[in-house]
Amino acid sequence: MYTTAHGPQPISKGNTYFVNDSTVAWIVTANGTSGTPAVIYKGHTVLDNKVSLRYELIYQGKRIKVEERPEFFTLADGQVGFERVFKTTDIPDGVELGLKMHIESITSDKDIATDNKFVICKSAAQDISGKTYKTIDGILSLKNNAVTNFSVSITPKPFTDVVKTAAPKVVNEREERVFALMTKSDCNTCHNRDLKTIGPSFRTIAQRYPNSPKISTMLSDKIIRGGKGSWGEVPMTPHPLVAKEDVAAMVSYILDLDATQENRERATMPVSDYLFEFKKKSTFSNAKTQVEKPGLALNIYKLADGFTGTPEISAKTAPQLSGVANMLHLSNFDFGFNMEEFRGNFALIASGSLNLKKTTNAVFRVVGSDVSKLFIDNKLVLENTGGQNEVPKEGELNNLKPGKHPIRIEYF
């Protein structure tokens, strides 16, 4: 498979046998409710000239592992086929896993075989040169914590270079212009728009950094000067000969790649120029050497995957991670990038002091898809149970006196 993300690529022509029109083809059904899981590709292995692909599906705090072995085969009569063998693990009781499929170039429903259940949702037929070919959309049910076999016997059909149903190509002039700049300045050597190569993908960069003038300037300077550390030990080479206006155009394009998500977040919380920086510290360091610093003391506690309700966390409970954070308005990407092991059930408690120089009124807002609590002067000021939606909740405190006010945020 090829894309134009790195400029012109080789082209192959032919009929398509399997098409995945869904952004995520997996379906998880739990307690009678179906939803789309987050999918993490965990890599592949090759053994005896056969490839195995590994995925991890995350849904409602549950992590399901899937290993797939795709294989081409030839039948005795010369007909070709495609087999997919799935092995699932860690599927809890009461949870079912399904996979959407779109299959073409078959002549009969009997060309599809499985040792489990395949439900046909939609079927269509096409006559080519006096022969009927079928197109089928269906859902394959996978066995829980077991192996599921699925195969399709394919009947090659005549290929026509002109596809009548093909949509006209939409040319994104801005993207084409920026890609030309990237090709000229060697960006494509280390970066891809959608996939990690030597460096992070442009889309991942957009998810990490908010789109603001301050951030745009910072990234532009970094491209020109080079550096390392933000994405690992591989350094980014400096680009002093690239015109500043060209760098600015590339940075603007990159930061706009997640504009839809960012606009949704801005609707619930004002945009911030701060970059999340979680610095780990030893929980065994001498307390006397700790100096008061700007930010919030942050403790993170890993909870059992099956945990429900609000946990009891006392001063004696040991956190798995401690540090100082300069902001708490974190996106899902921040947790994915910095704290992969805490994507499941966890508790986060941040504490510090609100330092006021004069009597003031203040409005506080908490946003979260789970339980968020805000305490000031050891009193519960706000509690937000957003459920599945990130709903902001506001509260106002009047006549806050000068001095230090202890503040604590709990997130479960």
Side-chain angles (χ1 to χ4, degrees):
M1 298 174 64
Y2 300 96
T3 73
T4 58
H6 279 165
Q9 296 282 327
I11 295 173
S12 62
K13 294 182 179 180
N15 292 315
T16 303
Y17 299 139
F18 279 80
V19 180
N20 179 13
D21 292 326
S22 306
T23 304
V24 177
W26 297 98
I27 304 172
V28 177
T29 303
N31 300 319
T33 302
S34 297
T36 303
V39 181
I40 301 176
Y41 178 59
K42 304 294 285 188
H44 68 275
T45 58
V46 179
L47 182 64
D48 297 331
N49 213 27
K50 294 182 179 181
V51 65
S52 294
L53 312 174
R54 291 188 173 91
Y55 312 93
E56 191 170 76
L57 314 180
I58 304 175
Y59 184 70
Q60 294 183 350
K62 301 175 179 65
R63 289 174 176 260
I64 298 171
K65 295 181 176 62
V66 180
E67 182 175 345
E68 175 185 356
R69 192 190 73 238
E71 190 68 39
F72 170 86
F73 65 84
T74 304
L75 299 176
D77 59 1
Q79 188 176 22
V80 298
F82 186 58
E83 179 186 54
R84 303 175 72 177
V85 179
F86 301 91
K87 180 181 178 181
T88 62
T89 53
D90 296 344
I91 299 182
D93 292 338
V95 174
E96 298 178 357
L97 182 60
L99 180 63
K100 299 177 186 176
M101 290 187 179
H102 177 88
I103 304 167
E104 297 192 7
S105 293
I106 62 174
T107 57
S108 168
D109 295 352
K110 295 180 180 179
D111 289 335
I112 301 173
T114 180
D115 57 2
N116 203 32
K117 183 173 66 175
F118 180 76
V119 177
I120 297 176
C121 304
K122 186 171 67 174
S123 178
Q126 181 184 23
D127 289 328
I128 301 177
S129 303
K131 195 167 187 176
T132 301
Y133 298 86
K134 299 192 72 173
T135 298
I136 285 179
D137 290 289
I139 299 176
L140 173 68
S141 296
L142 274 65
K143 298 177 183 178
N144 282 18
N145 307 317
V147 174
T148 304
N149 292 276
F150 179 86
S151 63
V152 177
S153 299
I154 298 167
T155 302
K157 62 183 178 182
F159 172 66
T160 56
D161 200 5
V162 179
V163 182
K164 295 180 180 179
T165 57
K169 182 181 178 181
V170 177
V171 179
N172 186 326
E173 294 183 1
R174 181 194 184 195
E175 191 169 68
E176 294 291 340
R177 184 167 63 252
V178 169
F179 281 174
L181 292 174
M182 290 177 174
T183 301
K184 186 172 65 174
S185 58
D186 83 359
C187 300
N188 296 331
T189 303
C190 298
H191 300 282
N192 181 286
R193 184 187 62 190
D194 302 306
L195 300 174
K196 181 186 183 302
T197 52
I198 296 173
S201 70
F202 295 135
R203 197 173 297 279
T204 304
I205 294 171
Q207 291 172 342
R208 184 176 185 185
Y209 295 107
N211 193 346
S212 70
K214 182 179 178 181
I215 298 300
S216 298
T217 300
M218 183 272 291
L219 291 178
S220 296
D221 290 343
K222 196 169 186 179
I223 291 172
I224 293 173
R225 297 175 184 174
K228 71 173 186 178
S230 297
W231 299 90
E233 293 303 314
V234 179
M236 182 172 69
T237 57
H239 300 82
L241 301 180
V242 182
K244 289 185 177 181
E245 57 268 24
D246 290 346
V247 174
M250 289 186 282
V251 169
S252 175
Y253 165 77
I254 292 170
L255 293 180
D256 277 344
L257 287 174
D258 72 333
T260 300
Q261 174 66 23
E262 205 159 294
N263 289 336
R264 187 159 53 241
E265 291 179 357
R266 292 185 189 202
T268 59
M269 187 69 75
V271 66
S272 171
D273 278 328
Y274 283 107
L275 298 178
F276 175 68
E277 186 178 11
F278 182 84
K279 294 184 178 180
K280 297 181 183 180
K281 68 176 182 181
S282 171
T283 56
F284 302 102
S285 58
N286 190 336
K288 294 182 180 179
T289 65
Q290 298 296 318
V291 179
E292 187 175 280
K293 298 178 181 179
L296 288 164
L298 198 63
N299 289 321
I300 301 180
Y301 307 81
K302 185 72 175 73
L303 306 177
D305 286 340
F307 185 87
T308 58
T310 303
E312 290 291 336
I313 296 176
S314 67
K316 295 182 179 179
T317 307
Q320 278 71 38
L321 215 56
S322 296
V324 178
N326 61 337
M327 65 178 292
L328 276 185
H329 181 35
L330 311 181
S331 66
N332 290 333
F333 175 78
D334 290 314
F335 276 97
F337 182 78
N338 296 281
M339 294 168 282
E340 172 68 28
E341 67 270 31
F342 292 94
R343 278 193 170 192
N345 286 340
F346 66 91
L348 180 154
I349 298 181
S351 58
S353 61
L354 185 65
N355 301 329
L356 300 179
K357 294 182 179 180
K358 61 181 181 179
T359 301
T360 186
N361 300 333
V363 175
F364 297 90
R365 169 183 280 192
V366 291
V367 179
S369 58
D370 294 293
V371 178
S372 309
K373 295 181 179 181
L374 172 65
F375 296 83
I376 297 178
D377 293 331
N378 297 317
K379 295 179 181 179
L380 180 61
V381 176
L382 276 176
E383 182 174 7
N384 188 9
T385 54
Q388 293 299 315
N389 300 311
E390 298 229 354
V391 180
K393 192 170 184 180
E394 292 184 350
E396 184 173 1
L397 286 182
N398 297 319
N399 297 319
L400 280 169
K401 304 299 182 184
K404 290 186 177 181
H405 297 265
I407 184 170
R408 186 172 82 255
I409 298 98
E410 298 180 355
Y411 178 83
F412 305 104

